Amino acid sequence: MSRADGASRISRLFSTGAPPPAWLVVALACAGQFLVVLDVSVVNVALPSMRTDLGMSASGLQWVVNAYAIAFAGFMLLGGRAGDLYGRKRMFLVGLALFTLASLAGGLAQDGWQLLLARAAQGLGAAVLAPSTLTIVTSAVPEGAARARAIATWTAVGAGGGAAGGLVGGVLVDTLSWRWVLLINVPVGAVVLLSSLRWLPESRAGDGRRLDLPGAVLVTAGLGGLAYGISQTEAEGWTAAATLLPLAAGLALVALFLVVEARTAAPLMPLGLFRSRAVSSANAAMFLCGSAMFCMWFFMTLYAQNVLGYSPLEAGLALVPSSLAVLVGSKSAPRFMPVLGARNVAVLGTVVAAVGFGWQSLMTARGDYLTEIMLPGILMMLGAGLTATPLAALATSGAAPGEAGLVSGLINTSRTMGGSLGLAVMSTIAAARTASTGGSTPEALTEGYALAFRTGAGVLLGGVVLMLVWLPWGKGAVPTAAAKVAEGTASTNAEGPTSTASPTSPNSTASPNSTSFEK
């Protein structure tokens, strides 16, 4: 008996036979999405405690975040395709089971490498789980006002998971320990898993196309090699073998990935999509902006706890206004786009974020909360929210109707990959400056964090130039349908990776050239 047959028999065993109520299906799908998004931001306030308990290095601490992000980004499109071929419910269950078991392993980790391995497994589970969540929602609710409300709920839950992560993490670390930011997923994941096994309906759109597993493995390994090589530069220098070998291996793997994508019959990332100016420019802009914006939470949390002496709970509370600001920006962008044009809104958002990064770079070792955390944080994340939606809308406006879902998945992958490499670069820059100005004193740490924010501001200004030169312009550059698609990116923000999806797809099946992100 095959594994697929075994999974089907288990699913039938738990099934009641009667169709489940739509609200229950929506609730279960949203619960899975909430766990995926929450687990990106919830670990930020636990980073100092993890380092102390497991003896991790300052430069190695970035991998608690990056191991998850790289695995998620590298396998996300593959996870969406697997849901189309093998069933959205089945992939939801497989992803959630892996995510839950990896959370248990991470919470019980006794060494840094065990924690990082568990975080990578969590990212892989999230990549399998997340693409199916919105498809399950849209399949359960008839098209019309009810589906719009269900999609709005899914979007709000994803965004809320990112916004609540810092606060939830602070409470868990302060009252229990850092381990519970991971262990809390185990009982919640088990309840959702058993309930989903019983109640979720199955759907698929298998068309006989195979999965591009080699592509997913190559791009993930290549990205990891580049990030590791960059992180080695602070300790070893740019000319050391320990730096050059992983950098060369990462570049070779990325090049091999492009060769595979050009030749395979069912590529993970069809290179022909990038012939469209809108698709290529929007993805490049999202990659560049993501490389700066993704780092904000990492450094703000370290600054609050390592320099200002905040407790994990106080650090989580301190970042709540920033979390709310990204929601405001994401929801406001679609209102401005018909008036100003998508390109101009993206430029405006990036400028606002760059101002916030520049302001944050003036931080001191005796920082005042209002002027050195809250207000610059609000600007940074308000800009991030304003930027993401129009870039996604521009990308999808340049895609064929059957490829809109794939392109919206690519734009999210670009942001996450950019963020992963950006975090490696910024962490290296910060560690080098700290080491050169006195070691681990509050003043030296502040110097390192401030340089990271100044570098981020420069990267964002470079993004502004790229957008002005390359992005399509004009108020009519983004059709109304594409603007509606972009509203689904409200939960795809600087909190961390989530699935970007098209909420306007009328069907519950995928086209041959799309992924389940299209639903």
Side-chain angles (χ1 to χ4, degrees), residues 168-194:
V168 172
V171 171
L172 291 172
V173 175
D174 259 8
T175 58
L176 297 169
S177 78
W178 67 264
R179 296 181 182 278
W180 279 94
V181 302
L182 299 173
L183 292 177
I184 193 65
N185 294 329
V186 178
V188 176
V191 170
V192 176
L193 185 66
L194 293 175

Side-chain angles (χ1 to χ4, degrees), residues 1 103 155 176 377 419 445 448 508:
M1 182 177 63
S103 297
T155 300
L176 297 169
L445 289 171
S508 61

Side-chain angles (χ1 to χ4, degrees), residues 307 365 430-431 433-450:
V307 176
R433 173 56 66 91
T434 295
S436 67
T437 54
S440 58
T441 65
E443 290 75 16
L445 289 171
T446 303
E447 283 288 324
Y449 302 152

